[in-house]
Amino acid sequence: MRKIIALVAVLLITTSIFNTVYAQSTTVSFSGDKTTWRGFDRYDFLMDTLSLEITPFKAVEGEGFGINAEVKGKVRCLVVVPKTAAVGNPWSWRGFYWDHEPQSEVELLKKGFFIGYINCDAGRQWDAWYAFLTKEHGFSKKPAFGGMSRGAINAYAWSVNHPDQVSCIYADNAAIMPESLAKIAELARYDVPLLSICGSEDFLYEKNTLPIENIYLQMGGRMTILVKEGTAHHPHSLQNPTPIVDWVVTNVASASKPSPLPGFIDDSFTKSYYYNPQNSYLYLKEENTWMTARGPGYTPYYEQYKVKSKSRYGVSSMVIIVPNKPAPGKPWVFRSDRMDRNALVDQALLAKGYHIVITPITTQSGAVMEQWNEIYKMLTDHGFSKKPVLEGSGVNAGECIAWTMENPEKVSAIYAVNPVMRSLMTKKNLFEGLIPIGKAGVPLLIVSGSQDPWFKEHTMVIDQQYKKLGGKLKLIVKEGQGHFITADPEVIVKGIVRTEPTRP
């Protein structure tokens, strides 16, 4: 709960900054007759379906806030104008179903956003509408999209073909076409965050939203999901749209002014994100139901940088996960394992300001000593601690032992899970390698399952030999567990932090 409160506070601060910095008058004029939409000026247009010419149009009496009348050979379009436009002219582009559950658009107008709409499916008319608003009227070149059901089809269809022209997408009980789903990774690659609001009983949730989430997680994109318990396809949106509006405002601000890259990152890296897709359960007062929430905004997330791989086989490359607030002295974990989304120990270390550096696996050889040496030099040359924590499980723990036995003065501690004393990095005997590690006073922190098949011949032998050498070793045995175990991150992190050299 504390994490959620802290994250909500960050959103509120970001929104406040947006209001302070962006809420300045910017003149955008439209010709033609204006009407009123929910207290704001509305301008209507007609677009010729063939020539794509856009001309002013007066809304038909009796339409109210909606669009009911069509004109043959034309497409209805409209713009709603805020009282005071925010700097940069941010705007939200509704994908379809104009004026249905409009509460988030109303609140965005109050924050200086324009609202744009074109009453057709995505295609060349959408391209013309985008050009009309951005080139002729100075709207931001990266609109925020909002799409409900079929509207999400349009938002995704246009965005996957123009990923560099999108700030974020809010999709509500979303549908998506197969051809758009096949390109959804492009949005992650261009760092387009997604927000999906769904009913737990929505017929589109399982076949549309969850596949998008799966791809986004694989690609390292940012996707936040809010699932309303016991709700079907209708009603869309939230009665209190604050979570939607704050999310849009935050991500539009980020898209307009991206954060600077860390000093150790260059063109050889690609950026993505790492976070645990754990669920939170939050109460929706207005709907009188509970909502499952997961993704950025409801769990901590971190920038992740991966070295570009030239291999056609997708060889594993070095990955650096950056804490949101690096600790003094830039402590880091030199991790031999691949890292899944449930790495609770590493997530706890990220929260404490540690960088997580995941070593590459080469095409043929596995772990290579020279590569690890190069990574160590590159990071320490950029001010990282000269004594990282090494981490590995199974045979990856063996690789940590192999590197440390050659570089004992460069390691603050080794954290090993069910260690297996084998290595592709060296042909030397790893048990004998414990001698220089013990002489250098490197602490070992080992967590093993009592039923692990390597427990007696590896973990217990390490324990006995290292203690004979006078080395510092803490062994945590998980009774009844095997090779795949559940560790207590709080205990592990306390043990690792205690081994850190004194920080300046």
Side-chain angles (χ1 to χ4, degrees):
M1 182 60 70
R2 290 180 180 176
K3 290 182 180 179
I4 294 172
I5 293 171
L7 289 162
V8 170
V10 170
L11 283 174
L12 292 175
I13 292 169
T14 306
T15 304
S16 175
I17 293 172
F18 182 93
N19 291 337
T20 303
V21 174
Y22 288 83
Q24 303 171 18
S25 180
T26 303
T27 302
V28 175
S29 60
F30 290 94
S31 59
D33 296 321
K34 68 181 179 182
T35 55
T36 300
W37 184 82
R38 301 188 181 275
F40 297 89
D41 291 344
R42 163 178 163 172
Y43 294 87
D44 283 69
F45 302 89
L46 291 178
M47 178 188 294
D48 188 278
T49 56
L50 297 178
S51 69
L52 305 181
E53 180 185 7
I54 299 173
T55 55
F57 176 76
K58 185 176 181 179
V60 178
E61 281 190 35
E63 284 189 309
F65 296 141
I67 291 178
N68 298 325
E70 293 295 337
V71 179
K72 187 176 181 180
K74 309 288 184 180
V75 177
R76 294 283 300 273
C77 314
L78 65 84
V79 172
V80 183
V81 178
K83 304 291 186 184
T84 302
V87 166
N89 297 328
W91 58 297
S92 176
W93 188 341
R94 169 68 85 100
F96 213 74
Y97 302 119
W98 175 250
D99 197 51
H100 179 69
E101 300 288 352
Q103 48 267 38
S104 61
E105 280 101 349
V106 171
E107 294 304 314
L108 286 170
L109 282 160
K110 293 177 183 179
K111 293 182 179 295
F113 278 64
F114 292 82
I115 308 297
Y117 179 77
I118 179 169
N119 198 41
C120 67
D121 291 330
R124 57 197 293 266
Q125 290 89 0
W126 275 48
D127 296 341
W129 184 236
Y130 174 85
F132 176 75
L133 294 179
T134 58
K135 294 180 181 178
E136 296 188 31
H137 293 281
F139 280 25
S140 165
K141 295 186 183 301
K142 287 192 171 187
F145 282 86
M148 298 177 180
S149 191
R150 175 180 170 184
I153 289 179
N154 292 327
Y156 283 131
W158 195 85
S159 296
V160 295
N161 290 314
H162 306 83
D164 58 333
Q165 298 172 358
V166 183
S167 64
C168 56
I169 300 173
Y170 150 51
D172 197 298
N173 284 328
I176 186 171
M177 299 301 287
E179 53 268 31
S180 297
L181 185 62
K183 295 181 178 179
I184 204 75
E186 281 298 289
L187 296 179
R189 191 165 73 86
Y190 277 85
D191 196 10
V192 177
L194 307 182
L195 169 65
S196 280
I197 296 182
C198 314
S200 64
E201 306 308 308
D202 174 42
F203 71 105
L204 295 171
Y205 175 59
E206 183 179 3
K207 298 295 184 181
N208 290 262
T209 299
L210 292 182
I212 295 172
E213 181 185 31
N214 184 46
I215 294 171
Y216 245 61
L217 287 171
Q218 290 182 49
M219 295 301 297
R222 291 176 289 162
M223 184 170 182
T224 299
I225 295 184
L226 307 178
V227 183
K228 298 177 290 185
E229 194 70 28
T231 304
H233 192 66
H234 288 279
H236 289 286
S237 190
L238 300 174
Q239 292 182 38
N240 178 355
T242 300
I244 301 169
V245 173
D246 287 350
W247 183 88
V248 171
V249 168
T250 298
N251 285 291
V252 167
S254 297
S256 65
K257 191 176 181 181
S259 58
L261 296 176
F264 52 87
I265 298 301
D266 57 26
D267 292 341
S268 65
F269 288 84
T270 59
K271 178 182 176 182
S272 57
Y273 295 87
Y274 175 84
Y275 56 92
N276 186 332
Q278 63 187 3
N279 290 319
S280 302
Y281 212 39
L282 309 176
Y283 183 62
L284 292 176
K285 179 180 178 181
E286 291 76 13
E287 282 85 350
N288 189 27
T289 190
W290 287 79
M291 173 179 72
T292 299
R294 61 179 177 269
Y298 297 91
T299 190
Y301 69 100
Y302 304 94
E303 293 179 357
Q304 176 175 267
Y305 297 91
K306 183 177 181 179
V307 173
K308 296 175 184 177
S309 174
K310 296 180 181 179
S311 169
R312 63 186 294 186
Y313 303 109
V315 173
S316 173
S317 300
M318 178 182 70
V319 177
I320 303 175
I321 305 176
V322 180
N324 294 324
K325 186 178 180 181
K330 285 191 178 179
W332 56 295
V333 175
F334 208 175
R335 179 181 170 120
S336 182
D337 297 67
R338 312 284 67 74
M339 186 164 151
D340 64 24
R341 297 277 179 169
N342 297 308
L344 299 181
V345 170
D346 296 84
Q347 290 164 23
L349 288 167
L350 281 164
K352 286 190 171 293
Y354 281 67
H355 288 75
I356 308 296
V357 181
I358 305 170
T359 61
I361 294 178
T362 56
T363 307
Q364 304 293 333
S365 307
V368 176
M369 181 80 67
E370 290 75 17
Q371 285 184 335
W372 286 38
N373 292 341
E374 290 171 3
I375 294 170
Y376 175 87
K377 184 178 186 306
M378 185 271 282
L379 293 175
T380 54
D381 284 350
H382 281 89
F384 280 57
S385 169
K386 295 186 181 300
K387 286 196 169 188
V389 175
L390 266 69
E391 176 187 357
S393 62
V395 294
N396 286 292
E399 302 296 4
C400 293
I401 297 291
W403 193 80
T404 305
M405 61 192 280
E406 302 295 338
N407 303 277
E409 75 288 352
K410 297 177 180 178
V411 177
S412 65
I414 298 174
Y415 164 48
V417 178
N418 284 324
V420 177
M421 298 294 270
R422 291 185 176 184
S423 171
L424 296 172
M425 187 182 292
T426 182
K427 293 182 180 180
K428 294 181 180 179
N429 186 302
L430 297 188
F431 287 104
E432 293 179 0
L434 294 173
I435 297 172
I437 297 174
K439 286 183 178 179
V442 178
L444 302 187
L445 176 56
I446 298 177
V447 181
S448 291
S450 64
Q451 301 303 309
D452 176 48
W454 306 92
F455 180 69
K456 292 181 180 179
E457 295 181 359
H458 289 249
T459 295
M460 293 308 297
V461 173
I462 294 170
D463 181 56
Q464 294 164 8
Q465 290 192 7
Y466 210 63
K467 287 178 178 176
K468 285 181 181 179
L469 293 168
K472 300 177 182 178
L473 185 146
K474 179 177 179 62
L475 173 60
I476 300 173
V477 179
K478 308 294 288 186
E479 292 294 338
Q481 296 191 36
H483 192 68
F484 304 101
I485 63 176
T486 302
D488 183 346
E490 185 175 350
V491 172
I492 304 302
V493 170
K494 282 183 179 179
I496 289 174
V497 171
R498 276 198 294 266
T499 67
E500 278 295 307
T502 304
R503 297 174 184 171

